[in-house]
Amino acid sequence: MSAPSTTPESLNVRLVKAGRTKISYPATLLHDDGTRVTVRAAWAGGDVRDFGFVQFAPGDIFTEHYWRDRWYAIKEVRTSEGALKGWYCDITRPAIRTPDGDILSEDLDLDLWVSADGSQVIRLDEDEFAASGLATRDPEAAHAATRALDDLELLAKQGEFTNLLT
């Protein structure tokens, strides 16, 4: 019987949108309990991305939480020095671990930003979601997506958001 490996497991996170890979990037597995998968990854966007309320930049570290039974993924964003910027929440179909161990997450256009101090809770991309046609193609998924966004927003405004990550 061999000793357990102490080498962190590497995997890829693949984010798809409308059936196409939007981005794929390497990550390190931190935890997988069969329901939630947590990974850590460097900002995969390359250049600085300025949203107006936050910037994601090279060197930023994302601790990403994916659930197999929930319609969202939550990404804690920190600077390279470790300062918390906040949480970027993607509304997604429940995540899948592929046979090769990677994470597959289907983006459903809706997003939520929660600032580190909780003072900003911002709904994003509702226009993209409406334009996507999901409500017509898959009304059940559209309802699950909007309910997930509403639930996350309510938890953030009640100060209970980070309880999801423990």
Side-chain angles (χ1 to χ4, degrees):
M1 196 161 145
S2 63
S5 172
T6 57
T7 305
E9 181 181 342
S10 294
L11 53 82
N12 285 309
V13 174
R14 187 164 52 108
L15 304 178
V16 298
K17 188 172 182 176
R20 296 180 184 200
T21 298
K22 182 174 158 182
I23 190 169
S24 182
Y25 53 90
T28 301
L29 179 67
L30 300 178
H31 177 79
D32 184 352
D33 64 9
T35 301
R36 182 177 71 179
V37 181
T38 303
V39 301
R40 183 161 293 133
W43 165 240
D47 297 328
V48 172
R49 176 127 185 238
D50 189 343
F51 291 93
F53 47 86
V54 69
Q55 287 185 349
F56 295 162
D60 285 352
I61 302 297
F62 287 64
T63 301
E64 304 178 355
H65 304 270
Y66 297 90
W67 284 266
R68 291 176 175 95
D69 63 351
R70 298 183 189 177
W71 286 73
Y72 52 79
I74 299 175
K75 300 168 182 181
E76 178 186 274
V77 185
R78 293 184 177 270
T79 67
S80 58
E81 294 80 28
L84 179 63
K85 291 184 176 187
W87 297 270
Y88 196 91
C89 308
D90 286 320
I91 304 303
T92 66
R93 291 185 188 270
I96 297 169
R97 286 288 303 266
T98 64
D100 58 3
D102 291 345
I103 296 172
L104 177 64
S105 182
E106 183 181 348
D107 185 350
L108 298 177
D109 292 308
L110 294 171
D111 301 295
L112 185 77
W113 171 254
V114 181
S115 62
D117 64 2
S119 65
Q120 292 180 308
V121 179
I122 305 170
R123 294 170 72 108
L124 303 166
D125 303 328
E126 290 177 295
D127 54 339
E128 288 180 31
F129 179 74
S132 75
L134 184 65
T136 303
R137 286 190 326 275
D138 190 344
E140 288 180 28
H143 178 71
T146 56
R147 186 175 62 240
L149 181 64
D150 292 343
D151 291 348
L152 286 173
E153 179 182 33
L154 180 62
L155 288 170
K157 288 182 175 180
Q158 292 174 337
E160 298 175 15
F161 179 77
T162 56
N163 295 342
L164 295 169
L165 308 178
T166 58

